[in-house]
Amino acid sequence: MFKYVMRRILQMIPVFLGVTLILFVLRIPGLLPGDPIQLIVGEKTLTPALRAQIEEKNHLNEPAYVQYGYYVSNLLQGDLGESYQKSRSVTSILADKFPNTIRLAVAAILVEIVVGLLAGIISAVKQYSFWDVLVTLSTSILVSVPVFWLGMLLQMLFGIKLKQWTGGALFLPITGMGTPPDIAHLILPAVTLASVSTAYVARIMRSQMLEALGQDYIRTAMAKGLTERAVVFKHALKNAMIPVVTFIGIDLGALMGGAILTESVFSWPGVGREIYLAVLQRDWPVVMGGVVIVVLIVMVVNLLVDISYALLDPRIRYGGAAE
Amino acid sequence: MALLEVSDLKTQFTTRDGVVRAVDGVSFALEEGHTLAIVGESGSGKSVTALSIMRLIPDPPGKIAAGKVVLRGESVLDMSDADVRAMRGDRIAMIFQDPMTSLNPVFRVGFQIGEALRIHKGMSRKEADARAVEMLDLVGIPNAPHRAKDYPHQFSGGMRQRAMIAMALACDPDILIADEPTTALDVTIQAQILELMIELQQRKGTAIIMITHDLGVVADMADDVMVMYAGKQVEYGSADAVFYSPQHPYTWGLLDSLPRHDIDEKGTLLPIEGQPPSLIDVPPGCAFHPRCPYAQAVCRETCPELREIEPGHMAACHFAGTDSLVRGRVATAEGEVR
Ligand SMILES: Nc1ncnc2c1ncn2[C@@H]1O[C@H](COP(=O)(O)OP(=O)(O)OP(=O)(O)O)[C@@H](O)[C@H]1O
Ligand SMILES: [Mg+2]
């Protein structure tokens, strides 16, 4: 198991370097619109002397690979550079926003797991019942609804149409949000962010559960005299969970992408919204720093998911069949 | 009173195409410590008979439509769900054909063996684990304390079937139902598993219902034999009676296919000409008549009742015990010699 984890950590290194390389290439002047030096200077007039000075300071006159070396070595020391716009370090900007994104992501994952798993289990165990039809129908609708549209719809419904009932602004992060934001403000963005994933989790759970319930070992368990509940929640569920956990893990990346949209729609003050605003302003250090952080998180979470996957499935833990 | 008495058992499945009469009026008795073999072609209703006794028929689509299953004087079909669960694994245990898929891949073998002990004998996790190791040792798994911690994928097919037997016998059941326990295994392993079952039966006095395609197995271990065809019982009696004076042409077909080891070294049943009938539209008259070389007009019209031909030996054939059939039998025997 230890070896497995070490191997996985070593595998992360080239992936991470690859991502930084792509980000670095994207920053090369001329590739994307906007002149970074002009952006740094802002309103001041850019004299050739000033330009040379800034180039010198940021190693922009060195060959590309040397620049990349500087970039990676700074990165490893936790230095993400300085914002073009805010004359603050990217690290401190992101550190401010980071806890809010974590709050949102954790809330969304909780929704995804609790609602998705329960819906999937119920609709499998009570196949073709009213609940099964309801789950199947609502998941088909949810997977085809764009996140930002659902977000706006929910805001309109709970924030405006049901104002008297919900206390209006309470649910809308736009107004009256403290620091850190109250839990109530979290509900709509979390549900929005989780919606598509929850629908997928419910569907995968349902099909996996149905498949597991049809296996021979279920009959063996029944023949032993186990209760139906033990058979479903122990013997079937543990098998059915394996692909679901994998999906949730793989989906975390998509969730992070969704966070950028959701945070923008709800003006949720997180890393996603910060990246979005930085893209609009061509504030490349913030964009790059934000993306690097998000990539790192996704990689670490995927590692944790793979470990839990191995804990669930002995065939992986012990590296294949021993026959 | 016999340990288990099954009378006129009828189990049906409702499908889109109609009602499948998978088991249609089966009766037998199993004495303490005895072995009953159930033989018959694929689809003849052997497994459904076994699952009906365990009340494991999936409902829907299945339903036990009629009959009685009496275990030590107690009606199994009238038991509450809780009583049925208390019976399963404790009084009647079952092992299945495919040991590769019958164990749950994500639980340790020892844990799976111990599960029944914890439910039925109220053992703690520790006691059950210890007993699981003993059981694995008993079924001949070397290094049992270590192997109990393995997962099923770390066992070979033969070892898994041994583990299944250990699981089934953990609670010392009165009856072990083995549904083709060796079909999925290599020939050499098959013999070992059968030997193990015979040895454990002698040691523990467990009664066995052995479902099999292999008449060699029947000859080795069965006290009684029931032959099934298209959901019906066509012949039933002591193993000696069925082997030495078989009464039903279908049984003859089965036995005739037996000695041809040159063709099929496993000694499994060779197909009898023709196909078994659909269980939805069972032909009128004797279900076997379309394939029966001795069929007469009466066979096409009336379904033969199961009759006692000699004490304790039953057959469902219009001509069982009569000269006409004996002659027919001699005729085939000569035909083979030629
Ligand atoms: N769940 C089910 N739904 C519908 N029909 C079923 C079901 N289970 C069994 N049957 C039918 O019942 C009949 C008897 O099946 P059974 O499994 O008892 O045969 P078998 O004698 O055990 O055959 P085999 O030697 O292949 O195991 C078959 O025609 C089968 O199609
Ligand atoms: Mg069968």
Side-chain angles (χ1 to χ4, degrees), chain B residues 61-83:
Chain B
K63 197 165 162 275
I64 299 177
K68 279 197 200 132
V69 176
V70 179
L71 176 65
R72 283 195 203 285
E74 196 182 344
S75 171
V76 173
L77 300 186
D78 296 320
M79 281 183 185
S80 68
D81 286 352
D83 286 345

Side-chain angles (χ1 to χ4, degrees), chain A residues 216-217 219-220 222-227 234-235 238-239 242 312-315 317-318 320-323, chain B residues 54 56 85 88-89 96 100-107 111-112 115 119-120 151 153 155 160 164 167:
Chain A
D216 286 351
Y217 55 75
R219 199 180 44 189
T220 309
M222 294 288 289
K224 258 186 239 182
L226 292 179
T227 59
K234 213 159 90 186
H235 283 262
K238 198 170 175 191
N239 282 279
I242 295 170
L312 273 174
D313 191 345
R315 286 161 297 191
R317 197 180 330 156
Y318 292 91
E323 281 152 55
Chain B
M54 295 285 278
L56 279 174
R85 284 198 301 271
R88 289 181 194 147
F96 300 95
M100 301 313 248
T101 55
S102 294
L103 288 162
N104 193 325
V106 299
F107 292 104
F111 172 86
Q112 295 189 57
E115 233 176 353
I119 325 170
H120 298 302
Y151 286 89
H153 75 268
F155 275 37
R160 282 188 222 188
M164 284 296 291
M167 188 188 297

Side-chain angles (χ1 to χ4, degrees), chain B:
Chain B
M1 185 183 56
L3 170 60
L4 179 77
E5 281 174 34
V6 173
S7 39
D8 202 28
L9 181 70
K10 292 187 178 171
T11 304
Q12 304 171 346
F13 294 93
T14 311
T15 64
R16 219 172 285 172
D17 304 326
V19 175
V20 179
R21 298 173 190 281
V23 174
D24 200 24
V26 162
S27 307
F28 61 87
L30 179 65
E31 303 290 338
E32 305 263 358
H34 277 215
T35 299
L36 167 76
I38 303 181
V39 294
E41 271 170 312
S42 189
S44 56
K46 306 180 298 290
S47 298
V48 173
T49 304
L51 293 173
S52 301
I53 296 169
M54 295 285 278
R55 291 251 315 254
L56 279 174
I57 297 293
D59 176 12
K63 197 165 162 275
I64 299 177
K68 279 197 200 132
V69 176
V70 179
L71 176 65
R72 283 195 203 285
E74 196 182 344
S75 171
V76 173
L77 300 186
D78 296 320
M79 281 183 185
S80 68
D81 286 352
D83 286 345
V84 171
R85 284 198 301 271
M87 173 194 83
R88 289 181 194 147
D90 192 28
R91 300 170 66 188
I92 308 183
M94 188 159 176
I95 57 180
F96 300 95
Q97 175 170 343
D98 193 350
M100 301 313 248
T101 55
S102 294
L103 288 162
N104 193 325
V106 299
F107 292 104
R108 293 176 198 277
V109 173
F111 172 86
Q112 295 189 57
I113 295 173
E115 233 176 353
L117 291 162
R118 282 184 288 138
I119 325 170
H120 298 302
K121 307 293 183 202
M123 286 190 186
S124 68
R125 178 79 186 262
K126 238 189 171 157
E127 291 167 323
D129 281 350
R131 179 97 175 104
V133 172
E134 280 172 35
M135 289 307 299
L136 280 178
D137 198 48
L138 184 71
V139 297
I141 301 278
N143 196 5
H146 183 74
R147 290 306 225 153
K149 295 197 189 80
D150 278 355
Y151 286 89
H153 75 268
Q154 293 164 296
F155 275 37
S156 67
M159 285 167 74
R160 282 188 222 188
Q161 199 58 298
R162 284 173 193 267
M164 284 296 291
I165 293 173
M167 188 188 297
L169 295 183
C171 294
D172 265 324
D174 297 328
I175 302 173
L176 172 66
I177 303 179
D179 190 352
E180 306 191 29
T182 58
T183 310
L185 303 173
D186 289 348
V187 188
T188 44
I189 312 286
Q190 283 183 3
Q192 291 172 11
I193 295 289
L194 285 173
E195 240 163 69
L196 174 70
M197 289 182 64
I198 295 171
E199 186 202 321
L200 290 176
Q201 176 177 37
Q202 279 161 3
R203 220 192 289 185
K204 296 187 169 247
T206 318
I208 295 181
I209 297 178
M210 185 77 175
I211 296 173
T212 182
H213 279 160
D214 187 343
L215 286 177
V217 173
V218 179
D220 279 350
M221 60 187 293
D223 298 295
D224 298 305
V225 177
M226 177 167 85
V227 182
M228 287 186 74
Y229 185 77
K232 291 205 166 61
Q233 180 176 9
V234 294
E235 184 151 5
Y236 173 56
S238 72
D240 283 348
V242 173
F243 265 93
Y244 296 115
S245 65
Q247 295 295 322
H248 198 285
Y250 178 64
T251 315
W252 300 349
L254 295 182
L255 289 172
D256 283 346
S257 63
L258 181 61
R260 299 189 193 169
H261 281 265
D262 53 323
I263 297 175
D264 182 347
E265 55 182 16
K266 285 187 190 172
T268 47
L269 300 186
L270 288 186
I272 298 167
E273 298 260 308
Q275 289 295 316
S278 144
L279 297 179
I280 297 173
D281 301 309
V282 184
C286 175
F288 187 57
H289 87 254
R291 298 166 75 187
C292 181
Y294 318 105
Q296 307 292 316
V298 62
C299 303
R300 284 181 270 273
E301 281 146 24
T302 25
C303 179
E305 295 290 314
L306 192 69
R307 291 182 294 130
E308 190 157 38
I309 310 300
E310 49 187 330
H313 185 182
M314 332 270 282
C317 173
H318 292 298
F319 300 103
T322 65
D323 277 356
S324 56
L325 266 191
V326 174
R327 259 183 262 121
R329 173 81 176 138
V330 171
T332 33
E334 280 168 359
E336 267 171 18
V337 169
R338 175 167 54 87

Side-chain angles (χ1 to χ4, degrees), chain A residues 37-38 113 179:
Chain A
I37 298 177
Q38 181 69 62
I113 291 175
T179 34

